[in-house]
């Protein structure tokens, strides 16, 4: 995954807010990366509605399979 790449949210692993659950299936653009709990890297995704949130890599699809 790289900055500017388009991704689709395919699942939400742990965080269950209704606003975040609404993002499942939506396309967004990778905006940044962040350290999560010290054992991984999160991906910050920006959406067309001007919101953004971070996700674990396994929660996202890149279109490549």
């Amino acid at each position: 995954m790289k900055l500017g790449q388009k991704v689709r949210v395919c699942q939400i692993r742990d965080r269950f807010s209704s606003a975040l659950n609404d993002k499942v299936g939506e396309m967004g653009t990778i905006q940044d990366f962040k350290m999560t709990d010290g054992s991984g890297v999160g991906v910050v995704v920006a959406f067309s509605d001007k919101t953004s949130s971070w996700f674990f890599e396994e929660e996202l699809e890149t279109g490549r399979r």
Side-chain angles (χ1 to χ4, degrees):
M1 293 189 173
K2 59 185 179 180
L3 290 177
Q5 185 175 13
K6 297 283 188 189
V7 292
R8 180 182 309 278
V9 179
C10 61
Q11 66 177 328
I12 304 292
R13 190 167 95 177
D14 295 332
R15 302 150 289 143
F16 291 105
S17 74
S18 61
L20 196 54
N21 283 337
D22 290 345
K23 298 298 182 194
V24 174
E26 283 197 34
M27 292 293 292
T29 303
I30 296 176
Q31 186 176 43
D32 202 0
F33 297 95
K34 69 173 253 158
M35 290 300 295
T36 56
D37 58 4
S39 65
V41 175
V43 179
V44 178
V45 178
F47 298 96
S48 61
D49 64 0
K50 307 292 186 220
T51 62
S52 64
S53 189
W54 72 270
F55 299 89
F56 294 104
E57 285 190 34
E58 62 268 14
E59 295 175 321
L60 303 172
E61 303 179 323
T62 61
R64 288 183 293 151
R65 294 220 168 191

